Amino acid sequence: MLKIENLHVRVAGKEILKGLTLDVGAGEVHAIMGPNGAGKSTLGNVLAGREGYEITEGSVTYNGRNLLELEPEQRAAEGVFLAFQYPVEIPGVNNTYFLKAAMNAQRKHRGEGELDSMQFLKLVREKLRVLHISDDLMNRAVNAGFSGGEKKRNEIFQMALLEPKLAILDETDSGLDIDAMKMVADGVNAMRSPERGFVVITHYQRLLDYIVPDFVHVLVDGRIVESGDKSLALKLEEHGYAWIAERRLAGAA
Amino acid sequence: MSAALLDEFGVGDARERDESWRYSKAALRALSQQDFAEADPHSTLDASLAASFDWPQTRGRRLVFVNGNYSDKHSDVANIAASMNVRHEGGQRLVLTVTGDSAEPVHLVYASVPGAAPTRWQAAADLELMAGRATVIVQHIGTAGADVLGALHSRITIAPGTELHLMTLSDLPDSISNYRRVNTTVAQGATCLFTDAIFGGRLQRADLNIGLNGESARFESRGVFVLRGRQHADTHLDIRHGARNTTCDVLWRGVADQRARGVFHGAITVAPGADGADARLSNKNLLLSAHAEIDTQPVLEIYADEVKAAHGATVGQLDETALFYLRSRGVPAAAARSLLIAGFCREAFAGIADVEVRGRLDALLAERLPHSHGDREEVAG
């Protein structure tokens, strides 16, 4: 579904990703772990189409198409979703209005009929109920005045509503207490399906106790240096990222 | 002619007038290079203009002035409350006295209708709120054509313990200019809620002077201007805290696209002895084009003790991160921009309790806000 090959990305003249290669198949959950500054968030932003990232080498193919030539809204309509590390506060823009506009724009792009207000609200209530989110969230401005936990829940709610094919979660666990993290994990687990791929970017192993990944990759200095199954995350937790660096040095010697 | 217009619309000595018209002098000069004839009070309104003030919720309580003159034909005063006294002095001066609660708003309409050549009109409105609460909506509209310059001088007296909500909606074509002076006094324990929405116009200048003269008098203002093309709006708020424990809370937003020019001057003075005053002013502006300009000047002068004051003003561009956030959810770029611009403006009106009024403002915003980026230049350089 997603094939990243030898991706090199510069941000403000500095190379951040230095030849990243990753394959995500439908139905798979891939965890990307790594120390601060390794390029984890850059990966998420590049996949979602944020401006300011210069791709100097490599390719990203999504369901057979060159993902990098699509606008962010086209990527969304094609099923790519990024849960932001820092969801943006947009005072004055109502959550319901925004999500209805987003959903109908996506449906229009895919040649599906637009939902009317009744159909949309029915869907919203359904998803809110499943995620145990109060519906006053929908009457508020997008993320405005939300607590850290509420913002992250709103991201998961949006994901549940928009039903992407490829969901990228950028440190969705950061700043969350254990209850909020479980809620996020429940939301993701409920959406796991054979047609859907996940890239879960995280700094800590803890989230992976709840979202059990099929694959774990360690991103250090712009490259994936180690891949394995879920046990790799546990080893990392035990030994820290320094362990990877040492292993690499040992391997090189 | 320029000097004459400045004499007419300026206040104070030559230096003060100069300073107060600093950002709009060129616009005023350009305007005054024309000769204005007296506007025709019997001009006919076209159907779309007449439709623009036919609001279901103000039927029976609507006073219409065509080129400054009271129009029997277009007014509808069948349901004016008994607690309201309406008096006309010579057709151009309205005296509205309110002596008790009136739940329903009164709707004043000032329509500018062009002649064959540039014309001008002037009118006056005196509003006295003696008891209770009242809502007054003032709407300025016009038809495109030859230049029209309208001037409305208002005097508003808000008696002790009363509450007035004054809402001005000024939505003008590019050929119409508008000068408004509103002198307001707010007495002890009284409240003035002042909502102002300014769209379009060749030159729209408003001098809004508020005197918080009685103890615990309160003034709250929410406003927005939305400009494009070569439109020019200049709003001066001058708030004087003249008594103890007086409050003002001002939140204004401005949007300028293409080659438009917006000016906001918000001055708050806390006079000696006006201890315990609480003054808040926030003015945020959005530039949508490299050729647009917005000047904002918050001024705070405090001569009393134990005063709380906060003021801030910014001029910026659309938040790229917010834009990306909306687009990443599937909202196309142009629609995402519109959403953000509307949200920016709506913030000023979020606290308005009157659902009808908020609905009107929302609809106007939706209609008048730029729908795409300022790089489409419709106006020749």
Side-chain angles (χ1 to χ4, degrees):
Chain A
M1 144 177 282
L2 178 72
K3 203 172 176 57
I4 305 173
E5 266 180 301
N6 189 32
L7 187 65
H8 290 252
V9 176
R10 295 169 78 91
V11 181
K14 188 167 179 269
E15 189 163 51
I16 304 293
L17 294 184
K18 303 171 180 175
L20 186 144
T21 296
L22 178 70
D23 254 308
V24 178
E28 296 173 357
V29 175
H30 291 248
I32 311 267
M33 303 185 69
N36 289 326
K40 300 194 298 293
S41 285
T42 297
L43 176 63
N45 284 325
V46 165
L47 292 178
R50 188 168 191 159
E51 279 174 32
Y53 295 83
E54 188 197 347
I55 287 117
T56 53
E57 216 184 317
S59 66
V60 180
T61 314
Y62 169 72
N63 287 337
R65 290 186 70 175
N66 176 4
L67 185 70
L68 300 175
E69 66 181 18
L70 301 180
E71 296 293 331
E73 55 268 34
Q74 293 173 316
R75 299 181 196 202
E78 295 289 333
V80 177
F81 179 92
L82 171 68
F84 280 50
Q85 183 179 3
Y86 303 108
V88 186
E89 294 199 19
I90 312 180
V93 176
N94 175 275
N95 228 346
T96 307
Y97 190 86
F98 153 54
L99 284 175
K100 185 162 171 261
M103 177 146 228
N104 278 336
Q106 289 201 17
R107 292 180 66 96
K108 198 172 161 193
H109 175 95
R110 296 192 292 258
E112 302 163 7
E114 295 187 16
L115 299 183
D116 65 27
S117 293
M118 295 300 286
Q119 293 167 315
F120 177 73
L121 283 176
K122 186 166 173 276
L123 195 62
V124 162
R125 288 209 190 91
E126 217 173 275
K127 301 291 182 185
L128 286 172
R129 200 172 49 238
V130 172
L131 292 171
H132 306 290
I133 298 175
S134 132
D135 58 2
D136 73 52
L137 176 109
M138 294 305 290
N139 301 323
R140 293 160 70 181
V142 181
N143 294 321
F146 284 26
S147 69
E150 283 177 319
K151 282 180 187 167
K152 297 298 176 81
R153 272 144 79 115
N154 195 19
E155 294 294 284
I156 297 304
F157 165 67
Q158 290 179 23
M159 179 179 77
L161 189 69
L162 297 170
E163 299 184 322
K165 292 186 190 127
L166 173 68
I168 304 143
L169 277 66
D170 186 5
E171 300 207 20
T172 299
D173 54 333
S174 69
L176 293 188
D177 62 29
I178 198 80
D179 290 336
M181 197 167 74
K182 275 185 186 162
M183 181 267 154
V184 163
D186 287 348
V188 171
N189 288 330
M191 287 188 73
R192 288 178 81 153
S193 83
E195 305 83 46
R196 190 169 284 131
F198 285 90
V199 176
V200 179
I201 297 170
T202 180
H203 189 73
Y204 298 105
Q205 185 270 336
R206 202 171 55 159
L207 178 69
L208 305 181
D209 286 341
Y210 301 99
I211 304 173
V212 179
D214 301 303
F215 302 93
V216 174
H217 310 276
V218 183
L219 180 62
V220 176
D221 194 25
R223 259 182 297 243
I224 286 174
V225 295
E226 185 98 23
S227 294
D229 62 14
K230 63 184 178 185
S231 66
L232 178 57
L234 295 168
K235 275 187 216 147
L236 269 176
E237 176 78 0
E238 198 179 329
H239 302 295
Y241 289 111
W243 167 68
I244 291 284
E246 280 161 27
R247 274 176 46 127
R248 286 177 74 204
L249 282 173
Chain B
M1 188 73 190
S2 176
L5 278 185
L6 197 58
D7 279 347
E8 196 178 328
F9 299 144
V11 185
D13 62 25
R15 195 196 55 82
E16 284 169 317
R17 272 185 312 196
D18 240 43
E19 183 57 30
S20 130
W21 279 85
R22 189 171 158 189
Y23 297 108
S24 303
K25 223 176 163 185
L28 189 67
R29 188 178 300 125
L31 192 64
S32 54
Q33 268 155 12
Q34 292 148 285
D35 282 321
F36 288 97
E38 194 73 22
D40 178 6
H42 305 294
S43 297
T44 341
L45 302 189
D46 66 43
S48 75
L49 198 66
S52 71
F53 57 74
D54 184 16
W55 302 4
Q57 75 265 37
T58 63
R59 275 185 198 145
R61 295 178 306 278
R62 186 177 70 219
L63 296 112
V64 179
F65 298 80
V66 176
N67 289 337
N69 283 265
Y70 182 67
S71 161
D72 252 332
K73 183 182 164 198
H74 295 288
S75 299
D76 177 2
V77 293
N79 292 320
I80 292 268
S83 59
M84 287 199 179
N85 181 265
V86 179
R87 203 169 81 235
H88 298 283
E89 291 176 3
Q92 293 176 330
R93 174 179 290 271
L94 165 75
V95 181
L96 181 64
T97 309
V98 183
T99 54
D101 266 335
S102 53
E104 308 294 342
V106 180
H107 187 180
L108 311 183
V109 180
Y110 287 88
S112 289
V113 182
T119 51
R120 58 174 301 184
W121 59 261
Q122 49 198 323
D126 288 352
L127 176 59
E128 295 170 295
L129 178 59
M130 308 311 291
R133 298 164 109 186
T135 299
V136 178
I137 297 165
V138 184
Q139 189 185 7
H140 292 267
I141 48 174
T143 308
D147 264 285
V148 181
L149 167 61
L152 177 64
H153 292 258
S154 312
R155 210 164 49 193
I156 299 173
T157 311
I158 305 173
T162 63
E163 183 175 319
L164 176 72
H165 186 176
L166 180 71
M167 183 181 115
T168 300
L169 253 170
S170 187
D171 179 22
L172 299 175
D174 289 3
S175 53
I176 296 188
S177 300
N178 188 0
Y179 177 79
R180 290 190 277 142
R181 172 171 297 152
V182 183
N183 290 335
T184 306
T185 58
V186 189
Q188 185 179 344
T191 296
C192 179
L193 307 173
F194 203 106
T195 309
D196 220 302
I198 296 164
F199 300 89
R202 176 170 170 177
L203 170 62
Q204 292 213 52
R205 165 76 179 219
D207 283 318
L208 312 172
N209 305 313
I210 297 95
L212 297 170
N213 295 354
E215 196 171 329
S216 302
R218 203 162 70 86
F219 174 71
E220 198 177 291
S221 176
R222 298 288 179 267
V224 64
F225 64 73
V226 176
L227 308 169
R228 56 184 299 171
R230 290 181 171 277
Q231 296 162 351
H232 186 130
D234 183 346
T235 300
H236 278 233
L237 262 170
D238 190 345
I239 303 161
R240 289 175 185 272
H241 289 259
R244 297 169 66 91
N245 302 323
T246 44
T247 308
C248 81
D249 179 5
V250 176
L251 197 160
W252 270 68
R253 294 286 158 104
V255 177
D257 196 5
Q258 297 171 337
R259 292 175 178 273
R261 184 83 189 264
V263 184
F264 179 85
H265 179 94
I268 299 173
T269 310
V270 181
D275 299 348
D278 186 346
R280 264 173 292 175
L281 182 147
S282 157
N283 174 234
K284 289 187 188 170
N285 299 283
L286 204 49
L287 286 176
L288 298 179
S289 141
H291 303 294
E293 184 177 330
I294 296 179
D295 298 285
T296 172
Q297 276 186 309
V299 183
L300 194 54
E301 288 182 42
I302 299 175
Y303 303 101
D305 298 322
E306 289 178 50
V307 169
K308 271 195 276 180
H311 67 163
T314 60
V315 180
Q317 284 156 7
L318 273 186
D319 178 357
E320 289 296 326
T321 313
L323 199 57
F324 172 61
Y325 188 73
L326 297 182
R327 293 179 71 191
S328 79
R329 298 301 182 246
V331 183
R337 281 198 185 90
S338 299
L339 256 179
L340 289 179
I341 299 164
F344 177 82
C345 293
R346 283 207 176 99
E347 249 202 301
F349 299 140
I352 295 175
D354 191 322
V355 179
E356 300 270 14
V357 165
R358 220 175 48 221
R360 283 276 160 198
L361 286 167
D362 263 0
L364 250 180
L365 280 176
E367 210 175 296
R368 289 288 178 267
L369 283 174
H371 289 284
S372 63
H373 195 243
D375 50 18
R376 43 142 188 62
E377 287 284 327
E378 289 168 13
V379 185

